[in-house]
Amino acid sequence: MKRRLALFDMDGTLIDTLMINYESYRIALKEVGIDFTLETFRDECFGKNYRDFLPEIVGGDEALSERVHVRKLELYAHCFDMGHVNETLKDFITGCRDKYYMAVATTATRSGVEKILAHFGLTELFDRLYTQEDVTRYKPDPEVFLKAMSDFGIGPEDTVIFEDSKVGLEAAYASKASVIKVDNF
């Protein structure tokens, strides 16, 4: 029986999805007449749940925000070739599977996570996926990490979290687990 848990954020940590997400949102927003820059996405949106940034971008219109998000999800898989896997983390996962349970813990949608992991051949590396559908509070709240620890029956002292974004790191530190910041892979 494994006694340790490794949790991986997906966007920007396990997979460089910056351009995948940006291009999906850029096209969806352009279709409704809104220009959206890479700088705005990178600096103000990436790593956050769409509910925390999209309403402001569309002028507070909740229905339009949801419509843009649905369209972004439709476009998402068409942009996968704009991303790449963090090979160092992939090697860690492969090398430590006998001692660690491995799980993705992200604010992304389950369907998006499943599609991108399958596209990059990573699905079989993980014991479980935790997505926005599994929690009621999103990062920077630590709920997704705490839920994973609870489900596996492993405490923060035996958990390591790999994260990249400000909100993700805030959530990871709040969980009391060990945290490894992933930068520029």
Side-chain angles (χ1 to χ4, degrees):
M1 177 175 239
K2 299 175 189 177
R3 296 183 183 166
R4 298 188 191 278
L5 174 61
L7 300 173
F8 300 86
D9 175 53
M10 189 182 72
D11 294 310
T13 301
L14 183 61
I15 301 170
D16 181 356
T17 60
L18 178 74
M19 293 307 296
I20 298 169
N21 281 293
Y22 167 68
E23 189 64 11
S24 301
Y25 275 119
R26 185 192 68 74
I27 294 168
L29 286 163
K30 185 176 182 176
E31 289 174 355
V32 296
I34 298 171
D35 289 324
F36 189 53
T37 68
L38 177 58
E39 292 74 25
T40 298
F41 181 69
R42 183 184 56 239
D43 298 342
E44 299 173 25
C45 309
F46 195 61
K48 295 181 181 177
N49 184 276
Y50 78 96
R51 291 179 186 100
D52 295 331
F53 67 85
L54 200 52
E56 184 176 327
I57 291 169
V58 300
D61 184 334
E62 293 292 327
L64 180 58
S65 178
E66 288 300 320
R67 197 169 88 228
V68 167
H69 181 67
V70 167
R71 181 65 178 135
K72 180 263 184 185
L73 294 176
E74 294 169 357
L75 295 163
Y76 189 66
H78 300 287
C79 300
F80 282 168
D81 290 337
M82 298 178 88
H84 65 276
V85 172
N86 183 331
E87 294 295 335
T88 303
L89 281 186
K90 182 179 175 184
D91 289 347
F92 172 84
I93 294 165
T94 302
C96 295
R97 285 195 52 75
D98 60 330
K99 293 183 181 176
Y100 285 80
Y101 289 109
M102 303 289 176
V104 171
T106 180
T107 58
T109 63
R110 179 166 301 279
S111 65
V113 171
E114 289 171 346
K115 288 174 188 174
I116 200 163
L117 291 177
H119 177 82
F120 286 105
L122 301 174
T123 304
E124 300 305 316
L125 297 179
F126 296 99
D127 299 298
R128 181 115 192 240
L129 307 177
Y130 292 88
T131 65
Q132 68 176 250
E133 291 88 350
D134 297 306
V135 295
T136 58
R137 296 177 309 278
Y138 307 115
K139 299 172 188 175
D141 190 285
E143 181 182 2
V144 70
F145 299 128
L146 298 174
K147 178 168 181 39
M149 286 185 249
S150 176
D151 288 354
F152 282 99
I154 296 176
E157 66 279 359
D158 292 314
T159 300
V160 61
I161 299 170
F162 295 82
E163 262 292 354
D164 70 309
S165 70
K166 181 180 176 187
V167 293
L169 288 165
E170 187 177 331
Y173 290 127
S175 78
K176 306 295 187 211
S178 295
V179 178
I180 297 175
K181 182 180 180 192
V182 176
D183 238 355
N184 303 322
F185 67 90

